[in-house]
């Protein structure tokens, strides 16, 4: 285990600042010497310098050597995006005995030199970003990495084509996926399209096999006609409350015969969510979900249950709806 020799936050803060040229990537637009000037007199800055390639071996060695020689306990590198090299510099800092989180990075490449046209304002902005990083690193605290068990389960919210594809890919990778959709069926806007750009493929031909795969995938739990009530917790340990809206149908018994729908004078009018093939409607998502279970409105349901409407002759057992099924969390 690494020993953190200079990491105490109780003692003097001693900051080293390193401004990278990235060859000409940064230096052609930002003057690294002026960035050094902008920070060198800030409180706690012991050393401020510039170097051509900070992520190179000599660049990292420069940091390690200065930590030893100048007893630095905070490091700032003004260079590229943290996504690119934050890990590199954290390791270099750790190798010199500092806690890896006593490090801060200012992005003066992607956020400045690559997107600027005026060297003067670019240099000013780079100086300000680096000053902000120096001000921030003073408040860094020593952190320890630890492993925590996580549940390999994922929730995808929204059952449009993006949600469907994400759910399938993660389920194929072995994750337990919960796909939540507020509408009665998955498919989203793509279900409204006839053709897709740019290949002009038939939208339903792409969408429907994926919808079926979602419905049948052993690693996917599909929660249609459901809303997210709350999300709490943190990475690896989220708790999500999902409210399942009332279907007024016992989905364990419904065989999708459609008799209830035919019998209902107030049957829900399908909105845009219908799929057509050759002018024929073959799926109306407002009533059927991908598991082919019907959803009835409370008015419709109660009307039939109270006998105000004639019961259709061939209503199977599922019509004896569990009215208590209602909304549940
Ligand atoms: S640290 Fe980033 S900005 Fe500097 S040389 Fe390496 S890639 Fe370029
Ligand atoms: S009549 Fe019953 S089984 Fe048939 S679709 Fe309606 S709820 Fe399902």
């Amino acid at each position: 285990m690494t020993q953190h020799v200079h990491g105490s936050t109780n003692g003097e803060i001693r900051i080293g600042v390193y401004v990278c040229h990235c060859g000409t990537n940064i230096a052609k637009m930002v003057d690294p010497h002026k960035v050094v000037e902008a920070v060198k007199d800030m409180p706690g800055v012991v050393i401020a310098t510039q170097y051509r390639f900070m992520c190179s071996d000599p660049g990292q060695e420069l940091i390690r050597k200065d930590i030893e020689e100048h007893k630095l306990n905070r490091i700032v590198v003004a260079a590229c995006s943290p996504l690119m090299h934050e890990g590199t510099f954290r390791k270099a800092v750790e190798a010199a005995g500092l806690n890896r989180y006593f490090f801060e990075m200012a992005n003066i490449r992607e956020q400045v030199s690559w997107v600027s046209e005026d060297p003067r304002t670019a240099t000013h902005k780079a100086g300000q970003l680096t000053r902000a990083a120096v001000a921030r690193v003073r408040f860094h605290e020593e952190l320890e990495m630890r492993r925590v068990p996580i549940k390999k389960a994922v929730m995808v919210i929204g059952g449009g084509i993006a949600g469907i594809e994400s759910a399938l890919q993660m389920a194929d990778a072995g994750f337990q996926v919960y796909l939540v959709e507020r509408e009665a069926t998955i498919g989203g806007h793509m279900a409204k399209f006839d053709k897709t750009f740019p290949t002009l493929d038939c939208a339903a031909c792409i969408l429907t096999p994926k919808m079926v795969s979602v419905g049948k995938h052993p690693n996917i739990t599909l929660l249609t006609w459901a809303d997210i009530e709350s999300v709490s917790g943190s990475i690896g340990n989220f708790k999500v409350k999902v409210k399942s809206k009332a279907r007024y149908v016992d989905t364990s018994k419904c065989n999708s015969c459609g008799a209830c729908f035919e019998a209902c004078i107030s049957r829900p009018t399908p909105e845009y969510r219908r799929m057509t093939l050759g002018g024929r409607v073959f799926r109306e998502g407002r009533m059927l979900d991908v598991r082919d279970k019907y959803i009835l409105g409370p008015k419709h349901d109660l009307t039939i249950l109270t006998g105000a409407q004639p019961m259709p002759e061939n209503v199977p057992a599922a019509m004896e709806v569990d009215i208590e099924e209602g909304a549940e969390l």
Side-chain angles (χ1 to χ4, degrees):
M1 191 177 180
T2 309
Q3 202 187 352
H4 303 129
V5 290
H6 314 302
S8 167
T9 51
N10 297 325
E12 185 192 1
I13 303 260
R14 298 178 66 80
I15 306 170
V17 185
Y18 302 84
V19 182
C20 186
H21 295 217
C22 197
T24 56
N25 267 301
I26 291 172
K28 74 169 183 239
M29 185 58 64
V30 168
D31 184 342
H33 298 87
K34 289 198 173 143
V35 177
V36 167
E37 285 296 311
V39 297
K40 73 178 180 33
D41 295 326
M42 288 183 74
V45 174
V46 174
I47 184 163
T49 187
Q50 39 71 41
Y51 189 71
R52 279 177 61 79
F53 296 103
M54 278 310 299
C55 57
S56 65
D57 258 0
Q60 293 183 50
E61 186 51 38
L62 184 64
I63 295 174
R64 282 195 286 266
K65 191 165 70 57
D66 285 351
I67 288 174
E68 282 302 317
E69 273 183 22
H70 299 281
K71 301 287 178 266
L72 303 177
N73 53 24
R74 301 286 190 284
I75 299 297
V76 171
V77 175
C80 48
S81 148
L83 189 67
M84 185 94 181
H85 275 310
E86 188 176 59
T88 308
F89 292 118
R90 278 184 174 166
K91 278 189 198 141
V93 162
E94 195 170 53
L98 264 188
N99 184 284
R100 54 163 44 209
Y101 297 105
F102 283 140
F103 168 77
E104 184 62 47
M105 200 161 178
N107 182 353
I108 61 168
R109 191 179 73 169
E110 285 85 340
Q111 288 183 353
V112 184
S113 68
W114 279 1
V115 290
S116 298
E117 291 180 343
D118 174 20
R120 193 180 57 82
T121 52
T123 300
H124 176 71
K125 182 179 171 185
Q128 294 296 94
L129 286 176
T130 311
R131 284 179 66 83
V134 171
R136 189 171 193 269
V137 83
R138 296 177 62 86
F139 296 100
H140 281 207
E141 291 184 3
E142 198 160 13
L143 300 175
E144 291 292 333
M145 277 204 288
R146 59 193 168 105
R147 288 188 181 276
V148 291
I150 61 166
K151 196 166 181 203
K152 266 184 98 180
V154 181
M155 177 167 280
V156 176
I157 300 172
I161 185 65
I164 289 173
E165 188 61 35
S166 311
L168 285 172
Q169 291 203 11
M170 284 187 282
D172 286 344
F175 290 88
Q176 177 62 44
V177 179
Y178 295 89
L179 178 56
V180 183
E181 166 59 48
R182 67 182 168 184
E183 296 290 343
T185 185
I186 55 173
H189 291 295
M190 193 163 173
K192 292 188 283 176
F193 301 151
D194 178 28
K195 303 243 184 309
T196 55
F197 183 81
T199 54
L200 298 186
D201 276 323
C202 146
C205 306
I206 298 168
L207 182 61
T208 46
K210 290 182 189 291
M211 289 169 70
V212 173
S213 301
V214 163
K216 292 192 166 146
H217 204 298
N219 288 349
I220 297 180
T221 304
L222 183 59
L223 301 165
T224 52
W225 207 233
D227 277 328
I228 302 295
E229 278 280 299
S230 64
V231 180
S232 58
S234 57
I235 296 170
N237 190 25
F238 285 111
K239 285 195 172 28
V240 184
K241 230 179 223 181
V242 179
K243 185 174 185 182
S244 169
K245 293 185 269 189
R247 283 176 183 270
Y248 301 98
V249 162
D250 183 344
T251 51
S252 67
K253 293 178 187 159
C254 174
N255 63 8
S256 305
C257 72
C260 55
F261 180 70
E262 293 304 324
C264 178
I265 53 163
S266 61
R267 59 188 168 198
T269 309
E271 293 180 331
Y272 50 81
R273 197 179 290 265
R274 55 170 56 185
M275 291 180 174
T276 57
L277 196 59
R280 190 174 68 84
V281 175
F282 70 92
R283 178 178 282 279
E284 294 175 319
R286 290 292 293 176
M287 294 160 293
L288 283 172
D289 70 13
V290 77
R291 292 170 298 174
D292 289 328
K293 305 298 179 191
Y294 269 65
I295 292 172
L296 304 176
K299 190 175 167 192
H300 166 90
D301 215 19
L302 289 170
T303 309
I304 292 181
L305 285 176
T306 54
Q309 292 296 313
M311 288 284 274
E313 282 171 11
N314 56 345
V315 172
M319 206 55 222
E320 292 158 13
V321 212
D322 177 7
I323 204 77
E324 298 298 325
E325 185 188 44
E328 51 186 48
L329 292 176

